[in-house]
Amino acid sequence: MDKVIFSGVQPSGNLHIGNYVGALKQWVTMQEGRDAIFCIVDLHTITVPQDPKVLREKILEMTALYIACGIDPEKAHIFVQSENPNHTQLGWILNTITSFGQLERMTQFKEKSQKYGENVGLFDYPVLMAADILLYQTDEVPVGEDQKQHLELARDLAKKFNKQFGEVFKLPIPVIGKEAARVMSLQAPTSKMSKSDVNQLGTVYLLDSEDQIREKIKKAVTDSQTHISKDRGSEGLSNLLTIYSAFKNQTLTDSYNQLEGKSYGEFKTLLADLVVLDLSQIKKKYEEIRGNEEYLNQILDGGRDFAIEKSNETMQKVLDALGLGRTA
Ligand code: TRP
């Protein structure tokens, strides 16, 4: 049987090249020869304040963008989390084997509760994420480095459940992208490129215009040197080289070898050309399919039906193991 891969993305903000390089590109490669499931995790998104109208809109936007980036709806399943009630049901059940201490340690909770104020959903976020993954007997979960801690919790909960109630869950393995995984802000290269950066010059969005992309790359922070050299280079420059390597599908070492001696100005133009070329293709495809809501809804309907059917198998085992409900 093919390996199951599962990942999720929140339908909030706008996707940027950090998401593309760190997650989407990897998903596109991984969908080959595997049973790939991609979930639009709207229930996670409401753990911080959202505008309901925008949230709805984002679901179709995300779906279209995934496809524009190369997720093939013939191969992969795309669905919306809130359309499969098994997620909240299993989330509730896993709550009962999760300790406060396990959740208090989560750095994302600390960060987000400081930023947005706390609520129980935000605290419980990693348990719902564990449910997402465990429902599908997932083998591999491609995620960014920042989600590693949540993945460990999912494994711990699966182990604990299996030990206490019998073997029900497969233990998922995190797949964290290597050198291309971390794209930093173009303006503050010590922090991650982010959807919610106040400085809009720091983030290149997938749907930016050519002029916006060129301007952002041109204004990206580097350092007081003028030419690329292997032995020095600031965080800003190495971030640009990371982006270059990811878009070129080559290693950082290859990029240094190829670009050594070039002026920063020349390099930025090469980088902008590369990013513009890729993103203009994505944008073109996106614009073609975003307007075809019937097509997008068909994909999400199929994804939902698949998700419910597949996760029902695990859910029934869980209910049986715990003695919940009546005998099926
Ligand atoms: N927490 C993830 C993020 O913010 C999104 C997510 C929710 C997810 N459920 C998941 C990722 C399950 C992988 C698997 O990036």
Side-chain angles (χ1 to χ4, degrees), residues 74-90:
E74 300 285 319
K75 293 187 182 137
H77 307 276
I78 309 174
F79 77 103
V80 183
Q81 187 186 33
S82 64
E83 294 180 9
N84 179 3
N86 286 332
H87 290 248
T88 39
Q89 168 122 313
L90 183 59

Side-chain angles (χ1 to χ4, degrees), residues 85-219:
N86 286 332
H87 290 248
T88 39
Q89 168 122 313
L90 183 59
W92 173 258
I93 291 169
L94 294 177
N95 277 333
T96 65
I97 59 163
T98 309
S99 69
F100 276 53
Q102 278 175 303
L103 296 182
E104 272 162 358
R105 278 200 293 279
M106 296 290 158
T107 51
Q108 192 180 78
F109 170 69
K110 289 183 207 162
E111 277 166 26
K112 285 199 180 175
S113 54
Q114 256 172 28
K115 204 163 157 190
Y116 302 100
E118 57 168 50
N119 65 68
V120 177
L122 197 54
F123 189 60
D124 203 29
Y125 178 114
V127 179
L128 180 60
M129 179 164 162
D132 297 341
I133 297 164
L134 299 179
L135 270 176
Y136 299 92
Q137 304 295 342
T138 303
D139 293 285
E140 296 172 335
V141 187
V143 279
E145 183 72 35
D146 62 324
Q147 297 298 315
K148 212 171 155 183
Q149 212 186 10
H150 292 161
L151 252 293
E152 274 157 22
L153 177 78
R155 282 178 65 88
D156 288 346
L157 294 180
K159 272 189 224 160
K160 188 168 176 186
F161 188 99
N162 288 350
K163 193 160 162 238
Q164 233 169 302
F165 303 106
E167 287 295 317
V168 170
F169 298 121
K170 195 172 246 179
L171 299 190
I173 299 168
V175 180
I176 316 263
K178 289 178 288 299
E179 59 185 35
R182 252 178 108 77
V183 172
M184 313 304 276
S185 159
L186 299 186
Q187 289 295 311
T190 47
S191 45
K192 228 176 91 169
M193 186 174 280
S194 152
K195 290 172 180 173
S196 53
D197 200 335
V198 278
N199 189 344
Q200 286 298 300
L201 284 176
T203 307
V204 177
Y205 295 103
L206 296 187
L207 299 177
D208 273 351
S209 68
E210 171 166 356
D211 287 349
Q212 285 170 315
I213 300 170
R214 291 193 185 278
E215 189 200 359
K216 288 174 182 179
I217 291 178
K218 201 166 171 187
K219 292 192 174 150

